Amino acid sequence: MSEGAGGRVSRGQLELLGTGTSSGVPVIGCTCAICTSDDPRDQRLRTSAALRFCDPTGLDRIWLLDVSPDHRTQALKSGITRCDAILITHTHVDHVWGLDEVRRYNAIMESSIDLFAESNAIETLERIYEHIFHAHRNANNSFVANLIANHVTPGKSIERHGLRMTPVRLLHGRLPIVGWRIDTVDGGDGGGLFPMAYCTDVSGIPPETYAALRDLKTLVLDMLRFRAHPTHFTVDQAVAHASEIAAQNTVFVHMTHDIKHSEVDPILPAGMSLGFDGLRLPCAPC
Ligand SMILES: [Zn+2]
Ligand SMILES: [Zn+2]
Ligand SMILES: [Zn+2]
């Protein structure tokens, strides 16, 4: 037990492990100004995040929000050495094809890891990762992840480690997916981060979800590019929805190589900014 835990969640910090669209930026073989930019904020691994916090018993915890194909690189850069829960938004390749890598956390922690996702997402994961979810069929007793799948339903909260996670319905084109709202059970802000919501890969927000996104301190929201796209918010759409949700601090993710950080970030309204790989929220006051 660390001192000062006081039975409350503390030191909440959300690190953006990746902020790029499905191809990542630079895009393979592209020589555009952004793909060749020497600004590190223009280099984007695939979108995912790590939520670090100290639980009410004083234990340091890390939850992952999606596990991108870049997870190994992201974990090494970020210094992630444990995983206490995995929250899945949807099963597109750029969000879950790093799941195999979490076997290292199983080995370090000598325990299974709870994974939280909708039933259709769990069915897909069981098919993609048959060697994990049906390990008894493997020919050899090899080094595979040990995951426990927990089925979730939008609007129904689950409490773990002093936090309350609530999946909220989002539309990703015609595909219904979830974002995640996370509150402390104790009602505090855990050091300035909570309540927070993580809403990537969005092109539409149903009315009931707006109600579930009230009073946020921190919002992570999808913003693909300026031109229209059938399954993601444009810059204008993202800003409009962020204005309506009105979180204290909104950070945008999942950008393509049309977005130059140094040009787009300054034109965003107050309280909104572009995310970049390695950004940790809440930002230190500047
Ligand atoms: Zn995506
Ligand atoms: Zn490019
Ligand atoms: Zn997607």
Side-chain angles (χ1 to χ4, degrees):
M1 295 257 287
S2 66
E3 284 185 37
R8 299 169 71 87
V9 168
S10 61
R11 300 203 306 272
Q13 184 185 69
L14 183 73
E15 180 179 2
L16 304 180
L17 300 175
T19 56
T21 191
S22 60
S23 60
V25 181
V27 177
I28 292 173
C30 185
T31 55
C32 80
I34 288 128
C35 287
T36 55
S37 162
D38 54 13
D39 183 343
R41 299 171 304 178
D42 288 330
Q43 292 160 12
R44 304 174 181 122
L45 297 174
R46 268 62 72 86
T47 293
S48 59
L51 174 60
R52 291 178 168 88
F53 61 100
C54 181
D55 80 9
T57 70
L59 279 175
D60 288 321
R61 303 281 190 180
I62 300 182
W63 290 7
L64 296 177
L65 290 142
D66 291 335
V67 190
S68 90
D70 295 316
H71 185 72
R72 179 175 170 277
T73 304
Q74 294 168 333
L76 292 171
K77 277 170 83 173
S78 170
I80 298 170
T81 55
R82 65 179 295 133
C83 175
D84 297 282
I86 300 170
L87 283 58
I88 299 293
T89 62
H90 65 305
T91 55
H92 282 165
V93 167
D94 52 326
H95 295 265
V96 298
W97 283 45
L99 207 50
D100 213 49
E101 309 293 354
V102 305
R103 60 189 182 159
R104 273 296 298 151
Y105 310 128
N106 290 127
I108 294 166
M109 299 170 65
E110 298 181 335
S111 69
S112 55
I113 300 172
D114 274 317
L115 176 143
F116 298 88
E118 286 192 281
S119 294
N120 62 343
I122 289 174
E123 282 166 25
T124 303
L125 293 175
E126 286 176 342
R127 181 169 50 76
I128 300 169
Y129 291 105
E130 191 181 352
H131 65 293
I132 294 176
F133 291 99
H134 302 287
H136 61 282
R137 295 182 195 157
N138 296 344
N140 294 309
N141 188 16
S142 51
F143 178 27
V144 299
N146 179 357
L147 301 173
I148 296 173
N150 295 266
H151 296 250
V152 304
T153 306
K156 295 211 168 129
S157 302
I158 297 170
E159 293 181 5
R160 286 281 197 290
H161 314 136
L163 293 182
R164 181 182 302 118
M165 61 180 109
T166 310
V168 298
R169 174 63 73 221
L170 301 172
L171 291 173
H172 184 20
R174 287 194 297 270
L175 181 70
I177 68 164
V178 295
W180 289 94
R181 179 187 173 114
I182 302 173
D183 296 77
T184 61
V185 175
D186 61 56
D189 68 7
L193 179 68
F194 304 106
M196 59 151 280
Y198 185 81
C199 299
T200 186
D201 294 55
V202 195
S203 58
I205 301 179
E208 69 271 19
T209 298
Y210 268 107
L213 295 177
R214 285 201 196 110
D215 302 322
L216 293 175
K217 271 215 175 343
T218 311
L219 171 66
V220 175
L221 187 64
D222 186 18
M223 174 194 272
L224 189 73
R225 63 185 189 194
F226 287 97
R227 282 181 298 127
H229 191 278
T231 63
H232 291 273
F233 281 154
T234 62
V235 173
D236 290 346
Q237 290 168 334
V239 167
H241 286 276
S243 300
E244 203 160 331
I245 294 167
Q248 281 184 24
N249 183 20
T250 299
V251 179
F252 299 109
V253 296
H254 214 288
M255 285 83 70
T256 70
H257 61 157
D258 295 330
I259 303 287
K260 187 161 179 53
H261 190 100
S262 61
E263 290 174 1
V264 178
D265 189 60
I267 64 172
L268 296 174
M272 300 184 199
S273 56
L274 285 189
F276 54 87
D277 292 15
L279 176 64
R280 295 183 180 210
L281 305 167
C283 301
C286 44

